[in-house]
Amino acid sequence: LHNARRYLDQANSEKVREKLEQVSGLVLRLADTSNHLKTLARRRTREAASCDPVPIALRAAELFRLQPGAARIAFDLPQEAGGPLVRADANRLEQVLINLIGNAVDAVEDCEAPRVAVSVRAAGERAVIEVADNGCGIPEDALDKVFDPFFTTKGPGRGPGLGLSITYNIVRDFDGSLRFAPAAGGGTRAILELHLADDE
């Protein structure tokens, strides 16, 4: 901010914009970290209601589609609500999908034709929500560590390594499951399974 003021005094609008973009990025990182810590400290509950995961997934994806640089990413998203209802808390499910989609967006950062796909389908007594990317993939020796607190494969300053640990605990509270698998053609699939909501 100090440098931005100096450039403003010099009427150098290009440098002012550059510094404000840096400030914006830092604020977003602070918000992300504080949200993770708030969730970590929040009292857990196993109570869950019925919700439609499709509009929740669309809201989560929209957060990333609006970010600078995301215009080059091809998002393949569910088209309509009205699919299988799941037994979960909508707000916490949204946080799960924000984390999974955010990881996918980070993974395709250096791809020539980046793609992130989200799908929702029923499979027996469960609903399956998949978030797939064509990014760098998760190293095989890291697969058994990805849910450990503070473990991350990202570079320094790219997050505290709490996202997947918190995500895993939220999914466990829903009595669901979460795992990762290779995606067709390279990249990673996050496979989230939740109980279908009761008919009533």
Side-chain angles (χ1 to χ4, degrees), residues 35-36 38-49 51-53 56-57 59-60 86-100 129 163 165-176 178 192 194:
N35 282 334
H36 283 324
K38 282 193 297 183
T39 302
L40 191 64
R42 187 175 297 140
R43 182 179 173 185
R44 294 180 184 145
T45 175
R46 289 187 176 273
E47 294 179 5
C51 62
D52 186 341
I56 296 172
R59 285 198 305 270
V86 299
R87 197 164 69 233
D89 173 76
N91 290 329
R92 300 180 79 200
L93 178 57
E94 184 171 358
Q95 182 175 3
V96 166
L97 292 174
I98 286 171
N99 281 333
L100 296 179
I129 305 170
S165 175
I166 291 170
T167 296
Y168 177 81
N169 282 295
I170 293 174
V171 173
R172 187 180 61 180
D173 286 348
F174 296 154
D175 196 23
L178 176 63
L192 169 62
L194 297 172

Side-chain angles (χ1 to χ4, degrees), residues 7-183:
Y7 287 124
L8 186 62
D9 292 339
Q10 298 169 13
N12 188 338
S13 60
E14 184 176 340
K15 281 292 187 179
V16 171
R17 181 181 299 277
E18 177 186 320
K19 295 304 169 187
L20 289 177
E21 288 294 334
Q22 291 175 0
V23 170
S24 177
L26 289 169
V27 170
L28 288 173
R29 280 170 52 193
L30 286 168
D32 185 52
T33 301
S34 63
N35 282 334
H36 283 324
L37 293 173
K38 282 193 297 183
T39 302
L40 191 64
R42 187 175 297 140
R43 182 179 173 185
R44 294 180 184 145
T45 175
R46 289 187 176 273
E47 294 179 5
S50 170
C51 62
D52 186 341
V54 171
I56 296 172
L58 295 176
R59 285 198 305 270
E62 193 66 16
L63 291 176
F64 298 98
R65 294 177 69 183
L66 296 174
Q67 288 185 1
R72 58 187 292 271
I73 300 176
F75 284 89
D76 182 3
L77 303 172
Q79 296 300 310
E80 296 180 2
L85 300 181
V86 299
R87 197 164 69 233
D89 173 76
N91 290 329
R92 300 180 79 200
L93 178 57
E94 184 171 358
Q95 182 175 3
V96 166
L97 292 174
I98 286 171
N99 281 333
L100 296 179
I101 295 171
N103 282 344
V105 168
D106 288 343
V108 301
E109 187 175 34
D110 297 324
C111 290
E112 291 186 7
R115 180 176 176 272
V116 173
V118 182
S119 63
V120 179
R121 70 180 190 277
E125 297 181 353
R126 290 199 164 197
V128 179
I129 305 170
E130 285 195 20
V131 179
D133 65 70
N134 64 341
C136 54
I138 299 176
E140 189 173 346
D141 60 352
L143 282 173
D144 60 345
K145 304 174 186 174
V146 292
F147 297 122
D148 293 348
F150 303 108
F151 176 81
T152 180
T153 58
K154 300 176 185 178
R158 298 294 301 273
L162 289 171
L164 285 179
S165 175
I166 291 170
T167 296
Y168 177 81
N169 282 295
I170 293 174
V171 173
R172 187 180 61 180
D173 286 348
F174 296 154
D175 196 23
S177 67
L178 176 63
R179 59 189 171 89
F180 289 91

